[in-house]
Amino acid sequence: MIERIQQIQTDIDAYHFDEKHQAENFRLFYLSKKGIITELFEDFKSCSVEEKKSLGSVLNQLKKSAENKYTEQKELEESQKELNQTAEDISLPVYQFAEGSLHPLRIVEDRLLEIFYSLGFDVSEGPEIEDDYHNFGALNFAEDHPARDMQDTFFIAEHVLRTHTSSVQIREMEKGKLPLRLVMPGRVYRNEAVSARSNCFFHQIEGLYIDKGVSFADLKQTLYYFVQQFFGKGTRVRFRSSYFPFTEPSAEMDIWAGLDTEENRRLTKGTGWLEVLGCGMVHPNVLKSCNIDPEEYSGFAFGMGIDRITMLKYGITDIRDFFINDIRMFKQFAGV
Ligand code: PHE
């Protein structure tokens, strides 16, 4: 009997499954009621006690290995069946779908963040509904500053819709962790008549860098780098002195657009220079209102309109086009 068992074991080890020899055939042949192994167990019953001792474990071993081989194959066949049911028919024609695009303002915001990330800036955001203190007071606006007037600002009870992202500067400096190197994008609101050139809401990105020994040269170099990356290598820039209550000195930065086309002449009012952003060294009063010692720390800030530079970059002439959701406009940005 032992030889038979060994022979069957060899057969089982060599058993090859294929289309004709599937798990079920194997089971019928070896393990079913009329299967070879079941038969062996029948024979085993009539063996002598001596024989039983030596054959028992070999026989059990045989049954086990047949069962293992069977379940393994059975599982394989089932998972293949499942796969066949769910597998896609690759011969079917594909659905036609229109390629979507990011909104042009998002495309530009992403690009701006990428440029400033590469300079080690992190990103932060603040609330659009602000209090007077964060939007004006802490930024060194005088009590009677015209921006606080109903003409320019939307008021909601005791609050304002922030008129610029500079409020986020204050929120970040208040946290008391220095140095700070941040860009802060977001939506801002102004109570202005809507036209091709101005909207009652638009988007800004604010920059802030506070550390020991930050100078105006750092500001210029950072913004110069940004312009080269965003508007292209060789773009000329100029800084004009300006005024903001929260920076001293303050400047506006222009890029050279040239006088070539009539369109540009209109954009640049005949100067060839395009205004891109406002900037300056953070005013000592602003640092003080955030508990930062202006003797120890200094910093620069800048703020630019994302809508504005998107219009410049892509030659969009009406700011309202960003918000009327005309698919024909957005389609042009697919893949940009
Ligand atoms: N907050 C200013 C504006 O809205 C821009 C600005 C930001 C200027 C930071 C200087 C420094 O016009």
Side-chain angles (χ1 to χ4, degrees), residues 155-219:
F155 291 89
I156 309 174
E158 296 295 287
H159 288 79
V160 300
L161 291 182
R162 66 177 178 196
T163 59
H164 52 185
T165 43
S166 301
S167 52
V168 192
Q169 284 189 39
I170 303 300
R171 295 206 168 265
E172 288 300 329
M173 286 190 275
E174 276 173 349
K175 291 180 182 167
K177 266 176 95 185
L178 295 173
L180 280 177
R181 201 164 6 166
L182 291 171
V183 274
M184 298 153 273
R187 186 173 277 200
V188 302
Y189 301 82
R190 298 215 184 145
N191 192 357
E192 272 169 18
V194 175
S195 73
R197 302 298 221 93
S198 79
N199 202 17
C200 51
F201 65 86
F202 53 98
H203 303 80
Q204 288 189 331
I205 187 163
E206 192 85 8
L208 179 68
Y209 183 19
I210 308 274
D211 203 347
K212 290 176 182 164
V214 178
S215 72
F216 201 87
D218 296 318
L219 167 62

Side-chain angles (χ1 to χ4, degrees), residues 316-329:
I316 296 164
T317 48
D318 193 325
I319 191 172
R320 292 167 295 191
D321 285 344
F322 288 131
F323 310 112
I324 58 175
N325 285 336
D326 185 335
I327 201 87
R328 288 169 303 178
M329 165 156 169

Side-chain angles (χ1 to χ4, degrees), residues 102-314:
L102 290 177
H103 192 283
L105 293 175
R106 173 68 62 204
I107 293 171
V108 167
E109 185 186 307
D110 285 351
R111 177 73 190 122
L112 295 172
L113 292 179
E114 201 182 302
I115 293 169
F116 285 103
Y117 285 154
S118 77
L119 287 169
F121 283 71
D122 285 327
V123 67
S124 169
E125 287 174 317
E128 292 178 20
I129 300 173
E130 262 300 1
D131 46 47
D132 180 275
Y133 177 76
H134 288 90
N135 196 77
F136 296 123
L139 285 160
N140 200 35
F141 279 79
E143 275 304 323
D144 56 356
H145 192 283
R148 284 178 146 160
D149 198 8
M150 301 291 281
Q151 296 291 311
D152 296 294
T153 308
F154 288 113
F155 291 89
I156 309 174
E158 296 295 287
H159 288 79
V160 300
L161 291 182
R162 66 177 178 196
T163 59
H164 52 185
T165 43
S166 301
S167 52
V168 192
Q169 284 189 39
I170 303 300
R171 295 206 168 265
E172 288 300 329
M173 286 190 275
E174 276 173 349
K175 291 180 182 167
K177 266 176 95 185
L178 295 173
L180 280 177
R181 201 164 6 166
L182 291 171
V183 274
M184 298 153 273
R187 186 173 277 200
V188 302
Y189 301 82
R190 298 215 184 145
N191 192 357
E192 272 169 18
V194 175
S195 73
R197 302 298 221 93
S198 79
N199 202 17
C200 51
F201 65 86
F202 53 98
H203 303 80
Q204 288 189 331
I205 187 163
E206 192 85 8
L208 179 68
Y209 183 19
I210 308 274
D211 203 347
K212 290 176 182 164
V214 178
S215 72
F216 201 87
D218 296 318
L219 167 62
K220 284 177 80 175
Q221 181 56 35
T222 303
L223 293 177
Y224 183 75
Y225 177 83
F226 150 69
V227 167
Q228 304 305 305
Q229 295 293 309
F230 188 80
F231 291 104
K233 291 241 152 28
T235 306
R236 287 169 61 198
V237 305
R238 76 173 183 187
F239 288 83
R240 269 179 300 113
S241 78
S242 183
Y243 174 79
F244 300 101
F246 38 93
T247 46
E248 181 60 35
S250 303
E252 259 156 290
M253 188 186 74
D254 302 338
I255 60 168
W256 178 250
L259 288 162
D260 297 348
T261 69
E262 228 186 330
E263 181 140 55
N264 277 345
R265 202 160 285 158
R266 214 190 58 194
L267 272 175
T268 68
K269 300 187 188 87
T271 65
W273 290 99
L274 269 173
E275 186 189 314
V276 171
L277 55 79
C279 59
M281 301 306 291
V282 178
H283 197 291
N285 288 350
V286 174
L287 294 174
K288 277 187 222 155
S289 55
C290 299
N291 277 326
I292 297 169
D293 181 359
E295 297 298 324
E296 201 184 347
Y297 283 96
S298 60
F300 66 71
F302 58 87
M304 70 184 123
I306 297 178
D307 310 58
R308 180 177 167 75
I309 66 164
T310 306
M311 290 168 79
L312 297 181
K313 184 148 173 133
Y314 294 112

Side-chain angles (χ1 to χ4, degrees), residues 47-65:
C47 285
S48 69
V49 179
E50 274 312 289
E51 276 178 316
K52 276 185 180 166
K53 262 191 194 155
S54 64
L55 288 176
S57 70
V58 195
L59 196 53
N60 275 323
Q61 180 63 41
L62 178 74
K63 189 176 177 198
K64 215 175 198 136
S65 79

Side-chain angles (χ1 to χ4, degrees), residues 82-95:
E82 231 169 78
L83 207 69
N84 287 340
Q85 277 165 2
T86 55
E88 276 152 29
D89 179 353
I90 56 167
S91 67
L92 280 175
V94 294
Y95 289 112

